[in-house]
């Protein structure tokens, strides 16, 4: 069994935190993992992605072949579109719905949304509003992870819940609780 | 025990477990995390950032002279900076184990070229080790110190971005004690011609041993099929080959390479038992060139030179699968509603105010050129600022501005960051002062090495003293605070100093937004 994930967004949105939680859950569960990250110049407001591969068998390449990803998890809708050539037929896209516009030629917002919805197997979530409304403004990324958890059978939701406790424990109980709440919000959230 | 580690972290831990006494490095993507890991996890190991790669290499050689194990880390272009020390360290040889880590950046994710550090190993006649995965990154970093001491030579350890910045579980071993303090009393360290000739002959004499060691480190997997394709799978290339073979069901004879020079007997045997050879290597066609020379023009060899693999850019599972003849997977078509999202200077960054002021003043001089340098502020070449006319190598802003001014260009302005200035800008400033060159130098000081994540900058709090010591006249040295409110003052000083026919230095100083955020937490 394997699950190949493209995690993506804009530098500074917290995709590496999502990757860290999944990594901790995989390690605890004895699942093989390879995770290629982007460090350096792109982290300054540019597009960033992480190739995250989970498997019960040996994993060779650090990068996912085109047409091989089971899941795209994106903190930004246009960034989800960037990695379509890597998404396998029948793969799922879980993405934040709010555009982050820091470039002059950002495409029409409705067109981006329509192109995503036309794919099928797409879940758009307004994670920023959910985070604000629920008093956890810094945990939007973990809401997204909660929504993605429905597609992470290889780990299971409980393994991710435990990993959230492990990863955030150094930052105190309040941060752990905020992220637990965020995860459950995403996990139970109806989507469009 | 298994630990989830970046390739860089695996190298750091392997070196620590080998009994490392000191790491010497200048930050550079994708090598930075090695030194950071040691700084965080090994307080008893010397690890402060160095001024540049040359000072790092020489200090490491000194530690080796004293009998201890030392590691030098840098990105690939850092090898150019320390090349003098590196090449001559092969002539002196080492006492304590000396490992030089070069992190290459094929595809230029964060670099200005994709030079291949394996050429430096060949040039200096030292062995090059190249891991295929994170486990080997740990194992080879650890073994490299023993190997260096056994050979009496520095060992070059080469990785690429994709391994440096990818995480996997690594089985780690136990901690070795550090070497005892035992300075060398050998005469081979004095490279006067008479001694250097003897040392060089000794280095040549070790080549046979190194070649035999390459053979022992290579491993081969035979497909069993007659006349199957032979694949020379170098470093991380091995993973893409295995991925493609597993996904496609194709068969090939695979020779895995983790040490250079290439094991000639193993390559010949692979060629004899295969119908043709494909060389899969990340970076430049170093191994492919050697294989062609070894097998001669009659034997079919493909790779980056033949066009079977792209001549530029990093390897991907897709291009390697195609070169092996595997059918392409059916993914989705590229999206239509998509725009590029290049990196940009952070909101509130002081470099933004510097470029705003420079653009305003430069617009008054049709002949003005602003020479840039290496760092976050290189982004000033892109929209919205488009201020910079050049970015070549560490320190080149000042010296290129000087050369252009020598040729008659006016006004010639240089923009350099604080850390880049101490890395390689100071010597150029001395040339400019001695020549009384008509240039205006902006040292944009954000109190850190920002591009690589906020490491300490070697000259912090001493830039005025350094410039005055070099001979910049006090009345032409200014410090300003780059904020929108100070724009009239900054542009006035710029105009005055452009008008002054000599060397002026302006230091806009305000803390990096990223480190400021961290300090406030």
């Amino acid at each position: 069994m394997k699950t190949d994930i493209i995690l993506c967004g804009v530098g500074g949105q917290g995709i590496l935190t999502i990757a860290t939680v999944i990594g901790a859950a995989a390690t605890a569960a004895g699942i093989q993992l390879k995770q290629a990250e982007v460090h350096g110049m792109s982290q300054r407001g540019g597009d960033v992605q992480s190739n995250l591969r989970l498997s019960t068998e040996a994993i060779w390449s650090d990068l996912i072949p085109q047409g091989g990803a089971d899941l795209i998890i994106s903190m930004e809708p246009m960034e989800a579109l960037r990695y379509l050539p890597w998404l396998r037929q029948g793969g799922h896209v879980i993405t934040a719905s709010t555009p982050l516009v820091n470039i002059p030629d950002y495409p029409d917002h409705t067109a981006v949304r329509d192109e995503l919805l036309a794919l099928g197997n797409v879940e758009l979530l307004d994670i920023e509003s959910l985070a604000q409304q629920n008093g956890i403004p810094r945990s939007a990324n973990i809401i997204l992870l909660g929504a993605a958890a429905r597609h992470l059978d290889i780990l299971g939701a409980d393994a991710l819940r435990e990993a959230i406790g492990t990863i955030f424990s150094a930052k105190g109980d309040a941060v752990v609780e905020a992220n637990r709440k965020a995860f459950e919000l995403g996990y139970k959230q109806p989507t469009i | 025990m298994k630990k989830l580690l970046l390739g860089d972290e695996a190298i750091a831990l392997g070196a620590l477990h080998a009994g490392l006494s000191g790491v010497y490095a200048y930050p550079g993507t994708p090598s930075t995390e090695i030194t950071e890991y040691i700084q965080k996890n090994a307080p008893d190991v010397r690890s402060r950032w160095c001024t540049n790669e040359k000072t790092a290499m020489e200090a490491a050689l000194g530690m080796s002279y004293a009998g201890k194990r030392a590691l030098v880390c840098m990105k690939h272009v850092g090898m150019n900076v320390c090349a003098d020390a590196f090449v001559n360290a092969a002539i002196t040889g080492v006492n304590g184990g000396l490992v030089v880590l070069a992190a290459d950046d094929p595809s230029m994710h964060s670099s200005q070229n994709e030079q291949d550090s394996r050429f430096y190993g060949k040039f200096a006649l030292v062995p090059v080790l190249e891991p295929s995965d994170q486990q080997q990154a740990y194992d080879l970093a650890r073994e490299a110190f023993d190997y260096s001491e056994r050979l009496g030579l520095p060992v070059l350890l080469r990785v690429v971005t994709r391994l440096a910045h990818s995480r996997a579980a690594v089985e780690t071993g136990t901690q070795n004690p550090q070497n005892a303090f035992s300075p060398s009393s050998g005469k081979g360290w004095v490279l006067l011609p008479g001694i250097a000739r003897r040392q060089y002959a000794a280095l040549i004499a070790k080549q046979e041993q190194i070649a035999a060691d390459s053979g022992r480190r290579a491993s081969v997997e035979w497909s069993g099929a007659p006349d199957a394709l032979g694949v020379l799978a170098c470093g991380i290339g091995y993973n893409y080959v295995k991925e493609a073979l597993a996904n496609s069901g194709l068969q090939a004879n695979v020779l895995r390479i983790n040490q250079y020079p290439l094991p000639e007997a193993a390559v010949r045997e692979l060629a004899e038992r295969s119908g043709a050879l494909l060389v899969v290597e990340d970076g430049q066609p170093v191994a492919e060139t050697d294989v062609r020379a070894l097998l001669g023009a009659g034997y079919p060899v493909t790779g980056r030179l033949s066009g079977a693999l792209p001549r530029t850019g990093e390897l991907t599972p897709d291009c390697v699968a195609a070169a092996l003849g595997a059918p392409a997977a059916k993914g989705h078509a590229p999206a239509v509603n998509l725009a590029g999202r290049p990196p940009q200077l952070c909101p509130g960054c002081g470099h933004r105010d510097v470029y705003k002021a420079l653009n305003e003043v430069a617009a008054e001089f049709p002949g003005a050129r602003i020479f840039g340098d290496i760092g976050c502020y290189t982004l000033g070449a892109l929209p919205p600022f488009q201020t910079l006319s050049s970015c070549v190598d560490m320190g080149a802003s000042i010296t290129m501005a000087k050369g252009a001014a020598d040729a008659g260009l006016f006004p010639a302005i240089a923009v350099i960051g604080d850390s880049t200035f101490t890395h390689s800008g100071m010597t150029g400033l001395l040339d400019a002062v001695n020549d009384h060159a008509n240039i205006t130098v902006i040292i944009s000081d954000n109190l850190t090495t920002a591009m690589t994540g906020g490491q300490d900058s070697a000259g912090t709090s001493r830039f005025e003293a350094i410039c005055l010591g070099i001979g910049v006249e006090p009345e032409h040295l200014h410090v300003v605070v780059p904020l929108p409110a100070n724009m009239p003052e900054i542009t006035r000083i710029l105009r005055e100093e452009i008008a002054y026919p000599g060397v002026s230095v302006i230091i806009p100083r305000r803390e990096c937004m990223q480190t400021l955020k961290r300090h406030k937490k």
Side-chain angles (χ1 to χ4, degrees), chain A residues 39-41 43-44, chain B residues 27-29 32-33 36 40 49 376 448-456 512 514-515 518-519:
Chain A
H39 294 204
M41 191 178 257
Q43 286 177 298
R44 304 276 173 271
Chain B
T29 310
T32 313
E33 292 83 354
E36 288 184 328
K40 275 186 208 123
W49 292 108
C376 285
T448 190
T449 313
M451 179 87 270
T452 46
Q455 293 75 25
D456 289 342
C512 163
Q514 296 289 333
T515 58
R518 251 174 278 158
H519 289 156

Side-chain angles (χ1 to χ4, degrees), chain A residues 4 9-10 23-24 27 32-47 49 51 53 59-68 76 78-79 81-91 100-103 105-108 111-112 115 119 138, chain B residues 2-4 6 29 33 109-110 132-134 161-163 165-169 236 238-240 242-243 246-247 256 314-318 329-346 375-376 378-379 450-454 514 521:
Chain A
D4 284 339
V10 180
T27 308
Q32 309 262 353
L33 169 144
K34 276 198 176 180
Q35 182 199 328
E37 302 172 3
V38 171
H39 294 204
M41 191 178 257
S42 299
Q43 286 177 298
R44 304 276 173 271
D47 59 276
Q49 46 73 26
N51 280 218
R53 313 194 73 183
I59 303 165
W60 292 113
S61 168
D62 296 85
L63 295 173
I64 301 167
Q66 294 206 354
E76 208 278 344
M78 183 186 77
E79 292 306 323
L81 288 176
R82 193 180 303 283
Y83 303 98
L84 287 189
W86 280 265
L87 186 65
R88 71 168 166 80
Q89 297 295 337
L100 192 158
V101 182
N102 64 350
I103 45 172
D105 53 345
Y106 195 99
D108 180 73
V112 168
E115 188 169 4
L119 291 167
R138 299 175 64 88
Chain B
K2 282 212 170 190
K3 291 181 89 154
L4 193 57
L6 285 178
T29 310
E33 292 83 354
H109 297 283
S110 277
S132 294
D133 57 24
Q134 292 80 353
T161 301
R162 205 46 77 179
L163 178 54
H165 287 168
S166 180
R167 231 173 264 279
I236 199 170
Y238 177 77
N239 298 344
Y240 300 129
K242 293 293 282 185
E243 175 91 22
N247 291 347
R256 173 173 170 161
E314 70 175 331
L315 294 176
T316 64
D318 310 300
K330 287 193 180 64
H332 289 72
V336 178
N337 295 286
L338 192 56
R341 199 188 300 256
Q344 47 190 279
L345 292 168
C346 302
C376 285
T378 314
L379 296 170
M451 179 87 270
T452 46
Q514 296 289 333
K521 269 188 188 170

Side-chain angles (χ1 to χ4, degrees), chain A residues 10-151:
Chain A
V10 180
Q13 282 191 315
I15 70 158
L16 288 184
T17 308
I18 301 180
T20 306
V21 173
I22 296 177
T27 308
I31 300 285
Q32 309 262 353
L33 169 144
K34 276 198 176 180
Q35 182 199 328
E37 302 172 3
V38 171
H39 294 204
M41 191 178 257
S42 299
Q43 286 177 298
R44 304 276 173 271
D47 59 276
V48 290
Q49 46 73 26
S50 171
N51 280 218
L52 186 48
R53 313 194 73 183
L54 304 171
S55 179
T56 50
E57 315 294 322
I59 303 165
W60 292 113
S61 168
D62 296 85
L63 295 173
I64 301 167
Q66 294 206 354
D70 302 288
L71 198 56
I72 291 176
I73 305 176
S74 181
M75 290 292 291
E76 208 278 344
M78 183 186 77
E79 292 306 323
L81 288 176
R82 193 180 303 283
Y83 303 98
L84 287 189
W86 280 265
L87 186 65
R88 71 168 166 80
Q89 297 295 337
H92 285 77
V93 178
I94 318 293
T95 179
S97 58
T98 311
L100 192 158
V101 182
N102 64 350
I103 45 172
D105 53 345
Y106 195 99
D108 180 73
H109 297 191
T110 313
V112 168
R113 189 184 178 86
D114 289 348
E115 188 169 4
L116 277 166
L117 290 173
L119 291 167
N121 293 346
V122 172
E123 298 174 24
L124 284 143
L125 262 94
D126 189 354
I127 54 170
E128 281 84 5
S129 300
L130 277 170
Q132 292 292 343
Q133 287 157 12
N134 287 278
I136 44 170
R138 299 175 64 88
S139 301
N141 53 349
I142 302 299
I143 298 179
L144 193 70
L145 173 62
R150 295 187 291 236
H151 302 279

